[in-house]
Every structure is written in structure tokens, then in C-alpha cells.
Amino acid sequence: MHFVVKFFPEITIKSNPVRKRMSRQLKDNLRILLRRLDDRIKVLKDWEKIEVIAPDAVSHLADRIEEVLAHTPGIANFARVRQYPLGDFHDIYEKTLSVWGDKLEGKTFCVRVKRSGKHDFQSLDVEQYVGGGLNKNTGAAGVKLKNPDITVRLEIRHDKLNVVEQQHAGLGGFPMGTQDPVLSLVSGGFDSTVSSYLTMKRGIRTHFLFFNLGGRDHELGVKEVAYYLWNRYSASHRVKFITVPFDGVVAEILQNVDDSHMGVILKRMMLRAATAIASELDVDAVVTGEAIAQVSSQTLKNLKVIDNVTDTLVLRPLITSDKGDIIRTAREIGTEEFAANMPEYCGVISVKPTTRARLSRVEEEEGHFDFSVLDRAINERVLQNIDRVMEDVHEGTPEVEVLEAPGDAVVIDIRHPDEEEVDPLELEGSDVETIPFYRLNSAFAQLDPQKKYLLYCSRGVMSRLHASHLLDAGYRNVGVLRPHLPHRPD
């Protein structure tokens, strides 16, 4: 298998030193990610492109390789190609026929050639020769230069011929690790997950900061969506997940702050805490999911008052976005189901919130607040590597049982439907059910309590997290099936 990866155009217009640095970073990122599938996959780079070369022994991983390429920042597009030594026109035609002949049956088509290097012919010459041969010797419905059913793409690079089998759009953006890191405030809803995705797409290593307002289920849900975003879009670089217990801060606000200013002051307390933690992580910017006037605390007047508590740069990628656009993006990146199923939590809800807060009045209200409560919350923060978020379980919960084989147990595949579709779980002789993790809590109560169930996910993180949560809820018929490693033929 052979894949040709093209750089995002904004990379190619950079100065030579910057372009070299960014393209090298993208190559290194792909090596890290693809090595997890199989260490025989090679990643090679030149000035114009990156080539991913996988031996025939790993052909069963083609779809998973494409998944990695589709979700790695810095890629404009990528193509699965058949590569051959460059021959004469008739040889080019025969190679193209072997790949595309059967696929043109009843379809209109055209041939498009991209060429680099010195040759004694033009791209149009190849297009006409190959197109004429395909039109004459296949069951195609004819050549159509505008809006054909199929475009047959060929790339001639010096002494090599690439016959493109499939071409896919990439994520765009810059390679992960080429920009300074940020700390993203996440609540698990539509806005904070989309804003975090946008910073990742831009090549920014994005740490996660969660303010726990008292809900165990909410914390679990936010950890899941943060892990999903990291694993899907930025897994080449490890990041932190920080949990700050904020229920005491909320209680203090409810008791001592005027109702109309509760929302603004809560945001100021969060931003104070975020500033302290960002400084500790040597991060220069925090990210929020706020959009102008979406809720009362997000008017320009209120945002100015909120930002007054920090000198740290506050980034708001969604500041002018409509809610419908945010939801559509969440659907495209796979976080819509997370947000729609995020458990409810208790927070600060003002009856008549101010939309035009005055700094003097806010500071007067904060004079009634005991700031030792905020300091205590910051000091009690919990920092975890994102791939270890499943380890935070209640004391007294039985250890999760991890088995190598299912035996008589029913296996529940809890992966996101997109991931399950690309790499379906097949276990000979075992019952397998598919229940996405975001439906597992409610669905598990309906299962047969006399049966043993083993949760499965591709890396064993979400499965252990959910098994711990179910054990904590009192279920004792649940464990984890250790993830299977990619099959490696002898």
C-alpha cells in the first residue's frame, strides 16, 4: 500500500526554514501515530509531500491508516496510489487500465495528470492517450471533461507513475506541536469541545481544564469527550487533564453574591483559577467556548469585566459563531453525541442576570466572597495525563477485572460508532453487542444481571473508565476485555 500526503497550503507558503520545520513535525507525528498500528509502516518526506508505505502484510490496516491521515492536522489531502516505474504512454495506459478498468463500467470519466520533472511530453498528451484507450477498451459511458462521474487521476513525478485509487480531503491546519500550548476550559458541551478541536486543528497542543461543580457523572462525561478529542485529533502529543473541585466556590457564590452577578463572578473565579494553573504549566493562553451574546455572561460588556481578572491571553475561537454552526461542527468531528448525552450538573443559575456588568459593582460583590475557598479549590486540583483519566475512581470500588479472552461472557463494544464501523470487532464463538459509551449507563441497567459482560474499546482506556463507573454504581457483573493487537502475519 502506498499513500501520498500533501501539505496544507499555508505550510507551503511559509519561509523555507519554517516549511522545513513544519513538514518535519508532520512526518514525526505520522510516524508516532502509524507505529501504533504496525511498526513496519514507513513514513518518508521530501520537499513536496510525505509518502506512507505499508507492506502487503499489513494491507488489512488500510482503512485504519486512512483514519489516521484524515484526522491528523497539517494535511490538505491524501491519496491511496499504485506506484510504478514510469514507462511509455502505452505502459501508462495499461497500468491505469489495471486499476480503473472495471470501475468505469457505465460511467462518464475524464483523465487528469499532474506532472513534475523533465519529460519530453506534456500532461495533456498523457491525458488524451490514456483517456482514449480507456474509452475504447472499457464499458465506460464516454469521456466527459466537465462534471464526469469519475475523474481518473495520475501523477507523474520524475521517473515514477502514481495511479490514484482514492483521494480524500485532510483536516487542514498546522501539524500538532508547531505552535505553543494552550489550556482549554471544557464542560463537555457543544461549545467547549468545538473550540478545543479548533485549537488542535491549528497545531496547538491543547490541555484540558475542567471545573467540577459537584457531579460525578458530569466529570466522567467530560473526561470521555476530552479523551476522544485528544485520541482522534492530537494523539501524537500527550496532554494534561486537570480537574478543579469547584462545588465549594459555587456554594460561596450562592450564599454571598447578589443573584444578578452570580454568572459573571463565577466566570471570573474560573478565569483566576485557569490563570494560576496555566502559569504552573508554562502556558501563555487559555481557551474558552464563549460566543458573543449566546448567554447573558457573554455580552461584550460582561466579557470585558470577566477578562479584567487576568493578564493571560484569553482565546475564544467561537466568538462570532452561530449556535447552529457550532452544532454542525460538533456533528462533523464526532462530539455531538457526547454533548447531547452529557449528564446534567448543578451550577449557578441567576433569575435576572446582568448583561451590562460594571466592574465597580462586581468588585463590591466579590468583597463578600471568601477567597480562601478559591485558593483551596486550586490547591486541590488533580492533574492527570490524558491517557490515564480512567484511574480516578472512588476508594472502595473493586479493581476492574481485565481478561485476555471473553470465555462465556458477553462482549460489549463501547467505541464511537465511527470507529466501530471502520474496524468492527469480530470474536469467533463469542457474543458481541454494540452499545456506544454515551448510552452505556442507561443501557446497562436493562441487561441480564445473570450474565457477565466485558467492555471493549481499542486502547482499553474508556472501557476501564466505564467499568470502574459501573462497579462504583454497584454492578458486579462487569469487566474489561483487553484490546486486541493488530494482527501481524508471520
Side-chain angles (χ1 to χ4, degrees):
M1 284 184 299
H2 200 115
F3 297 87
V4 175
V5 177
K6 302 295 180 62
F7 303 122
F8 182 56
E10 286 187 42
I11 297 174
T12 64
I13 63 174
K14 299 293 185 185
S15 65
N16 286 353
V18 174
R19 176 172 176 167
K20 287 180 180 178
R21 176 174 61 84
M22 287 190 169
S23 61
R24 184 170 57 247
Q25 182 70 69
L26 178 56
K27 177 197 69 176
D28 292 343
N29 292 350
L30 289 175
R31 280 181 173 170
I32 291 170
L33 296 169
L34 293 172
R35 189 185 300 131
R36 294 170 185 167
L37 299 181
D38 194 290
D39 58 14
R40 291 171 291 182
I41 301 172
K42 298 183 181 300
V43 181
L44 308 175
K45 180 186 75 71
D46 61 29
W47 183 247
E48 297 178 338
K49 66 185 182 305
I50 288 176
E51 294 184 78
V52 175
I53 304 171
D56 292 340
V58 299
S59 60
H60 60 288
L61 295 177
D63 289 344
R64 297 182 68 183
I65 293 173
E66 290 185 351
E67 273 285 294
V68 170
L69 298 177
H71 298 108
T72 299
I75 295 175
N77 59 73
F78 62 95
R80 190 192 303 194
V81 306
R82 301 274 186 93
Q83 189 171 85
Y84 307 97
L86 180 62
D88 59 20
F89 281 10
H90 193 71
D91 184 68
I92 295 173
Y93 154 71
E94 288 184 331
K95 296 296 191 301
T96 307
L97 178 67
S98 68
V99 175
W100 281 99
D102 295 339
K103 301 174 184 176
L104 297 179
E105 184 72 31
K107 305 287 187 181
T108 60
F109 77 98
C110 71
V111 178
R112 296 296 181 215
V113 176
K114 287 187 176 181
R115 185 177 57 86
S116 61
K118 294 183 178 180
H119 304 95
D120 58 0
F121 57 83
Q122 301 297 316
S123 298
L124 181 60
D125 300 330
V126 181
E127 292 175 354
Q128 291 176 340
Y129 188 95
V130 174
L134 294 176
N135 191 41
K136 182 178 179 180
N137 298 299
T138 69
V143 174
K144 186 178 180 183
L145 298 181
K146 290 186 177 181
N147 301 317
D149 297 324
I150 293 176
T151 299
V152 177
R153 301 185 186 278
L154 307 178
E155 294 184 352
I156 297 173
R157 296 183 175 276
H158 305 288
D159 61 348
K160 300 291 185 184
L161 168 68
N162 289 336
V163 180
V164 177
E165 293 185 87
Q166 296 175 340
Q167 184 162 310
H168 305 277
L171 198 62
F174 292 134
M176 184 60 57
T178 57
Q179 313 301 317
D180 292 328
V182 297
L183 181 62
S184 183
L185 280 60
V186 290
S187 64
F190 292 102
D191 303 339
S192 63
T193 54
V194 172
S195 62
S196 299
Y197 158 76
L198 291 174
T199 57
M200 293 177 187
K201 179 181 176 182
R202 203 64 179 167
I204 302 173
R205 187 179 174 197
T206 302
H207 301 283
F208 299 97
L209 177 59
F210 168 60
F211 292 100
N212 192 340
L213 306 185
R216 165 70 175 169
D217 288 347
H218 186 217
E219 179 181 357
L220 175 65
V222 175
K223 285 182 174 179
E224 287 176 337
V225 71
Y227 176 82
Y228 170 85
L229 282 169
W230 169 79
N231 187 50
R232 193 166 178 84
Y233 298 106
S234 67
S236 58
H237 289 68
R238 182 172 289 178
V239 300
K240 300 289 186 183
F241 186 97
I242 303 99
T243 303
V244 181
F246 235 53
D247 48 337
V249 174
V250 171
E252 182 72 12
I253 291 175
L254 290 171
Q255 291 174 3
N256 298 309
V257 171
D258 181 78
D259 178 273
S260 62
H261 286 72
M262 286 181 176
V264 170
I265 290 178
L266 176 62
K267 291 289 185 67
R268 281 166 61 94
M269 297 300 171
M270 288 180 172
L271 198 49
R272 287 183 171 105
T275 299
I277 294 169
S279 177
E280 180 181 322
L281 296 177
D282 195 24
V283 169
D284 294 325
V286 298
V287 178
T288 78
E290 291 159 320
I292 286 292
Q294 189 177 119
V295 296
S296 60
S297 64
Q298 295 175 19
T299 62
L300 282 176
K301 288 283 188 183
N302 286 355
L303 291 175
K304 181 180 179 181
V305 170
I306 291 168
D307 286 1
N308 178 264
V309 301
T310 185
D311 291 328
T312 300
L313 177 64
V314 180
L315 301 177
R316 295 182 170 94
L318 304 180
I319 194 65
T320 61
S321 300
D322 295 332
K323 191 67 174 184
D325 294 333
I326 296 171
I327 293 174
R328 278 191 291 274
T329 302
R331 184 175 304 128
E332 292 169 0
I333 66 176
T335 60
E336 181 185 26
E337 290 281 4
F338 289 94
N341 290 276
M342 193 62 59
E344 295 293 334
Y345 63 97
C346 296
V348 172
I349 302 175
S350 299
V351 177
K352 294 183 178 181
T354 181
T355 59
R356 301 182 67 82
R358 290 182 293 108
L359 181 59
S360 57
R361 173 65 190 281
V362 169
E363 290 176 338
E364 178 184 345
E365 290 296 328
E366 287 183 344
H368 306 140
F369 184 91
D370 181 359
F371 277 85
S372 68
V373 176
L374 177 63
D375 294 337
R376 185 162 56 250
I378 296 172
N379 291 334
E380 292 176 355
R381 70 199 178 282
V382 177
L383 281 79
Q384 297 171 290
N385 288 332
I386 189 64
D387 55 347
R388 307 294 291 274
V389 292
M390 78 287 189
E391 294 182 355
D392 184 23
V393 297
H394 287 320
E395 293 182 6
T397 300
E399 185 177 351
V400 175
E401 183 181 18
V402 181
L403 300 180
E404 299 287 344
D408 295 332
V410 177
V411 177
I412 301 178
D413 188 341
I414 68 168
R415 293 174 297 169
H416 192 280
D418 290 347
E419 186 179 0
E420 191 274 331
E421 182 179 356
V422 169
D423 184 28
L425 179 62
E426 297 178 358
L427 297 173
E428 186 175 351
S430 298
D431 293 334
V432 177
E433 296 187 18
T434 57
I435 304 176
F437 51 85
Y438 46 78
R439 296 199 182 107
L440 185 63
N441 289 343
S442 59
F444 199 86
Q446 309 302 318
L447 299 178
D448 186 347
Q450 304 303 315
K451 291 184 178 181
K452 175 82 171 184
Y453 297 93
L454 299 180
L455 309 185
Y456 173 85
C457 69
S458 57
R459 295 181 67 180
V461 176
M462 284 189 173
S463 56
R464 291 190 65 175
L465 183 64
H466 270 286
S468 294
H469 183 62
L470 291 170
L471 288 168
D472 189 50
Y475 296 101
R476 294 295 178 263
N477 60 333
V478 63
V480 166
L481 179 65
R482 190 179 299 280
H484 65 287
L485 297 175
H487 175 61
R488 189 164 176 170
D490 295 333

